[in-house]
Amino acid sequence: MEVKWIEDFLALVQYKSFSRAAEARRVTQSGFSRRIQSLETWFGAELFDRSTFPPVLTSAGSVFEDLAEDLLERLHDARTVVRKQQRMTGHALQIAADQAASVHFLPDWLQSLRVRNGDVRARVVPSSLHDAVASLVSRNSDLLLTYLHTPTPIQLDAARYPGLLVGRDALLPVSKPSSDGSPLYRLTSANRASLPYAAYAKSAYFSRSLETQFSNSSLLSSLQPQYESESDEVLKRFVLNGAALAWLPRSSVKHELATGTLVEAGDASHTVDLEVRLYRDALNRAELVDKIWFSLASVD
């Protein structure tokens, strides 16, 4: 059983049309139909008579209709109570952030918020981008902070989940230097087929960003992947050990680049520009969320 199946059921009762209900639930009609079927499978009974138009409730569906709204309300009330136990006490933000942004950008950014807005307290929940987006959409978080490669969009409805540009960064190919200070692994068309590569896992957003950026090039496919991880910090360790080159956020290697511990392994054509974006749910009108959002929007 999934809560969204109950919400789907009530949408179909309201709209009396699979296509209109699917549109309202922001899902394809085929996907919506499968979710209704999953609900019926869970119950072991058909809830809608599809032989008529519009579809009508079966006797089993009518029984569930009397219970569904109350059940959904109770579940949401329970979720609200549990969420409060996970939040910081008092007036505080709940921020979901992808792992890289939470480490390399968020601490300094939060400090700048405190300078402009006074005491701003926050509970930060680092996770994968997928989980961070899900946290915002399910209202487990007030704000979502994430890296964004604009040609690789995040699937969020811009009207419901507006975003603000709050920073910039870039993915740079970096390598440990050789004894003369040049990159141990330099990206050139002549040698890249022999270069060991520490890659992001396919499920990582940065993996998709790199694939999008270099989709018209054989650059990535010609490298020799030796290691893989969703975490840029893990890949950074491989680079520092001299085991491979990797694309890492500039903010994560600024100290190493300044001291010469790491060097850039390519040129400007190998750089992937990133934005740092903050998202909110437009329906969340909490006073602190509005205060922070309007403060940032005025700067933006």
Side-chain angles (χ1 to χ4, degrees):
M1 169 64 77
E2 295 187 29
V3 172
K4 65 184 177 184
W5 296 350
I6 305 174
E7 295 170 333
D8 292 339
F9 171 84
L10 292 172
L12 187 51
V13 170
Q14 176 185 354
Y15 290 102
K16 296 180 173 60
S17 163
F18 276 85
S19 60
R20 291 175 60 199
E23 183 179 358
R25 296 287 291 150
R26 303 183 187 281
V27 66
T28 64
Q29 184 172 339
S30 59
F32 182 83
S33 296
R34 284 193 298 270
R35 284 171 16 181
I36 293 294
Q37 289 171 356
S38 296
L39 180 63
E40 292 176 320
T41 299
W42 189 88
F43 274 113
E46 289 189 356
L47 303 176
F48 293 93
D49 182 352
R50 295 166 175 78
S51 66
T52 65
F53 184 81
V56 297
L57 288 167
T58 62
S59 58
S62 296
V63 170
F64 183 52
E65 181 185 17
D66 293 336
L67 302 172
E69 288 190 11
D70 181 63
L71 176 61
L72 197 59
E73 183 177 352
R74 287 173 180 269
L75 285 169
H76 284 308
D77 287 345
R79 184 176 65 176
T80 299
V81 172
V82 172
R83 282 177 179 172
K84 286 181 179 178
Q85 300 301 315
Q86 298 300 312
R87 288 178 174 260
M88 290 182 67
T89 57
H91 220 39
L93 293 168
Q94 182 96 347
I95 302 177
D98 70 65
Q99 292 281 0
S102 68
V103 173
H104 308 309
F105 183 83
L106 191 143
D108 291 342
W109 176 74
L110 276 179
Q111 184 58 32
S112 70
L113 281 186
R114 292 175 65 90
V115 171
R116 290 200 305 271
N117 297 281
D119 183 24
V120 176
R121 297 185 301 138
R123 181 173 185 263
V124 179
V125 183
S127 65
S128 68
L129 177 58
H130 177 274
D131 289 345
V133 170
S135 181
L136 178 69
V137 171
S138 64
R139 300 193 182 183
N140 284 332
S141 297
D142 299 310
L143 299 170
L144 163 65
L145 185 76
T146 182
Y147 280 111
L148 177 70
H149 177 234
T150 51
T152 314
I154 298 172
Q155 298 303 313
L156 280 173
D157 179 357
R160 173 70 183 271
Y161 301 101
L164 288 175
L165 175 66
V166 295
R168 297 187 184 277
D169 207 333
L171 288 174
L172 307 175
V174 293
S175 165
K176 188 173 181 176
S178 58
S179 57
D180 63 2
S182 63
L184 185 61
Y185 307 113
R186 183 191 295 276
L187 284 169
T188 67
S189 56
N191 76 341
R192 65 192 187 198
S194 63
L195 295 181
Y197 173 41
Y200 290 99
K202 293 296 184 183
S203 57
Y205 178 71
F206 283 165
S207 175
R208 300 197 301 275
S209 301
L210 288 165
E211 289 174 359
T212 301
Q213 180 77 15
F214 301 115
S215 60
N216 295 323
S217 163
S218 62
L219 173 61
L220 296 181
S221 61
S222 63
L223 298 174
Q224 299 299 313
Q226 302 293 319
Y227 312 99
E228 187 176 281
S229 176
E230 288 194 351
S231 168
D232 65 279
E233 286 298 302
V234 173
L235 300 186
K236 181 178 176 180
R237 297 309 307 176
F238 291 124
V239 177
L240 286 169
N241 290 339
L245 67 85
W247 270 263
L248 300 174
R250 178 185 282 119
S251 56
S252 75
V253 293
K254 60 183 179 182
H255 174 73
E256 288 80 4
L257 291 175
T259 59
T261 308
L262 294 178
V263 293
E264 292 193 43
D267 55 34
S269 68
H270 301 119
T271 298
V272 180
D273 292 328
L274 299 173
E275 295 180 349
V276 185
R277 288 254 166 195
L278 187 71
Y279 295 89
R280 69 173 295 180
D281 183 344
L283 299 183
N284 180 358
R285 304 317 302 264
E287 180 181 352
L288 183 57
V289 175
D290 276 348
K291 176 183 177 182
I292 297 300
W293 191 263
F294 294 134
S295 168
L296 292 168
S298 65
V299 174
D300 187 54

